[in-house]
Each structure stands twice: as C-alpha cells, then as structure tokens.
Amino acid sequence: MQLTVRYFAGARAAAGRSEETLAAGRSLDELVDELSTRHGERLAMVLKAASFLVDGVACHDRQAPLPAGVTVDVLPPFAGG
C-alpha cells in the first residue's frame, strides 16, 4: 500500500528528486515529518511554507490518513505574478 509524492520547483531541488513512493496510511503531517527526516533541513524549510494537493485537491485536514494510491503534490510558494 503506497502513495506517490511529487516535488515541484524549490521542493524538487531540496529533495534532490522529482518524486518518490512511500507507504500510505499516515497523515499529511506524519508524511511531512518523515520527508523532513529523510531529506534534511533544506527540504524541511520548504515543507513549512509549502501547499499540498492530494490527487489534485487542496488538503485541509492534515490529520486524515492518506489512502493507498494517492498522489501528494508538494508546491512551494512561487514568485512572480
């Protein structure tokens, strides 16, 4: 039972990859903690300011378990306008 995490822009640079597969069943907050531990302080800083989409929908309940098969997009703040 897995989920996919996709990194965009500065999150991709901080993680050193564009995506990875992890075990499902944890909450978004738990996933963020694991990613911070796995990839270090640089990604942890990006994750603090990032927005998250779960299967293309903004995630508002960061405590709800993430089911198997979903894709979590990590979107850091973007500059420009």
Side-chain angles (χ1 to χ4, degrees), residues 9 27 36 47 73 77:
S27 70
S36 296
L47 294 173
D73 293 330

Side-chain angles (χ1 to χ4, degrees), residues 31-78:
L31 178 65
V32 167
D33 288 344
E34 180 179 338
L35 295 173
S36 296
T37 299
R38 181 180 290 223
H39 297 292
E41 186 60 30
R42 186 172 171 208
L43 182 60
M45 294 301 294
V46 172
L47 294 173
K48 287 180 184 178
S51 298
F52 302 91
L53 301 179
V54 178
D55 282 346
V57 178
C59 182
H60 298 292
D61 184 358
R62 294 177 60 112
Q63 297 301 314
L66 296 166
V70 300
T71 298
V72 178
D73 293 330
V74 180
L75 306 170
F78 293 97

Side-chain angles (χ1 to χ4, degrees), residues 8-27:
F8 294 87
R12 180 185 307 134
R17 64 189 66 212
S18 60
E19 72 177 51
E20 64 185 305
T21 304
L22 299 164
R26 69 191 86 205
S27 70

